[in-house]
mmCIF file of all heavy atoms in Angstrom:
data_model
loop_
_atom_site.group_PDB
_atom_site.id
_atom_site.type_symbol
_atom_site.label_atom_id
_atom_site.label_comp_id
_atom_site.label_asym_id
_atom_site.label_seq_id
_atom_site.Cartn_x
_atom_site.Cartn_y
_atom_site.Cartn_z
ATOM 1 N N LEU M 26 -34.571 18.952 -0.864
ATOM 2 C CA LEU M 26 -34.880 20.342 -0.623
ATOM 3 C C LEU M 26 -33.913 21.280 -1.355
ATOM 4 O O LEU M 26 -34.326 22.246 -2.005
ATOM 5 C CB LEU M 26 -34.801 20.602 0.896
ATOM 6 C CG LEU M 26 -35.428 21.902 1.399
ATOM 7 C CD1 LEU M 26 -36.943 21.875 1.159
ATOM 8 C CD2 LEU M 26 -35.144 22.096 2.894
ATOM 9 N N VAL M 203 -49.678 25.180 11.120
ATOM 10 C CA VAL M 203 -48.603 25.218 12.082
ATOM 11 C C VAL M 203 -48.000 26.604 12.186
ATOM 12 O O VAL M 203 -47.710 27.110 13.262
ATOM 13 C CB VAL M 203 -47.495 24.211 11.667
ATOM 14 C CG1 VAL M 203 -46.324 24.265 12.620
ATOM 15 C CG2 VAL M 203 -48.070 22.815 11.582
ATOM 16 N N PRO M 211 -35.183 36.048 -2.817
ATOM 17 C CA PRO M 211 -35.318 36.543 -4.200
ATOM 18 C C PRO M 211 -34.833 35.514 -5.237
ATOM 19 O O PRO M 211 -33.742 34.964 -5.083
ATOM 20 C CB PRO M 211 -34.434 37.790 -4.227
ATOM 21 C CG PRO M 211 -34.340 38.215 -2.792
ATOM 22 C CD PRO M 211 -34.466 36.982 -1.964
ATOM 23 N N ALA M 229 -12.776 13.020 -5.816
ATOM 24 C CA ALA M 229 -12.742 11.788 -6.634
ATOM 25 C C ALA M 229 -12.729 12.158 -8.112
ATOM 26 O O ALA M 229 -11.957 11.598 -8.905
ATOM 27 C CB ALA M 229 -13.946 10.921 -6.316
ATOM 28 N N ILE M 276 -0.605 2.803 1.130
ATOM 29 C CA ILE M 276 0.377 3.775 0.601
ATOM 30 C C ILE M 276 1.507 3.021 -0.079
ATOM 31 O O ILE M 276 2.037 3.485 -1.081
ATOM 32 C CB ILE M 276 0.871 4.769 1.660
ATOM 33 C CG1 ILE M 276 1.751 5.837 1.026
ATOM 34 C CG2 ILE M 276 1.584 4.092 2.805
ATOM 35 C CD1 ILE M 276 2.151 6.963 1.945
ATOM 36 N N GLY M 306 8.264 8.564 4.518
ATOM 37 C CA GLY M 306 9.707 8.752 4.540
ATOM 38 C C GLY M 306 10.382 8.004 3.404
ATOM 39 O O GLY M 306 11.328 8.505 2.792
ATOM 40 N N LEU M 338 -1.911 19.082 10.503
ATOM 41 C CA LEU M 338 -0.922 19.814 9.713
ATOM 42 C C LEU M 338 0.507 19.377 10.100
ATOM 43 O O LEU M 338 1.323 19.057 9.240
ATOM 44 C CB LEU M 338 -1.103 21.309 9.894
ATOM 45 C CG LEU M 338 -0.098 22.211 9.217
ATOM 46 C CD1 LEU M 338 -0.054 21.997 7.722
ATOM 47 C CD2 LEU M 338 -0.407 23.690 9.516
ATOM 48 N N LYS M 417 -2.420 28.638 -10.351
ATOM 49 C CA LYS M 417 -2.735 29.953 -9.776
ATOM 50 C C LYS M 417 -3.751 29.837 -8.650
ATOM 51 O O LYS M 417 -3.695 30.564 -7.669
ATOM 52 C CB LYS M 417 -3.292 30.839 -10.879
ATOM 53 C CG LYS M 417 -2.731 32.249 -10.783
ATOM 54 C CD LYS M 417 -3.089 33.013 -12.019
ATOM 55 C CE LYS M 417 -2.314 34.319 -12.069
ATOM 56 N NZ LYS M 417 -2.441 34.925 -13.382
ATOM 57 N N TYR M 545 0.408 45.327 9.035
ATOM 58 C CA TYR M 545 -0.687 45.318 9.993
ATOM 59 C C TYR M 545 -0.135 45.428 11.415
ATOM 60 O O TYR M 545 0.990 44.978 11.688
ATOM 61 C CB TYR M 545 -1.509 44.034 9.899
ATOM 62 C CG TYR M 545 -2.172 43.858 8.523
ATOM 63 C CD1 TYR M 545 -1.456 43.318 7.474
ATOM 64 C CD2 TYR M 545 -3.484 44.254 8.324
ATOM 65 C CE1 TYR M 545 -2.034 43.168 6.211
ATOM 66 C CE2 TYR M 545 -4.080 44.113 7.081
ATOM 67 C CZ TYR M 545 -3.363 43.554 6.027
ATOM 68 O OH TYR M 545 -3.959 43.425 4.801
#
Side-chain angles (χ1 to χ4, degrees):
Chain M
L26 194 65
V203 177
I276 186 172
L338 176 58
K417 221 169 192 168
Y545 298 84

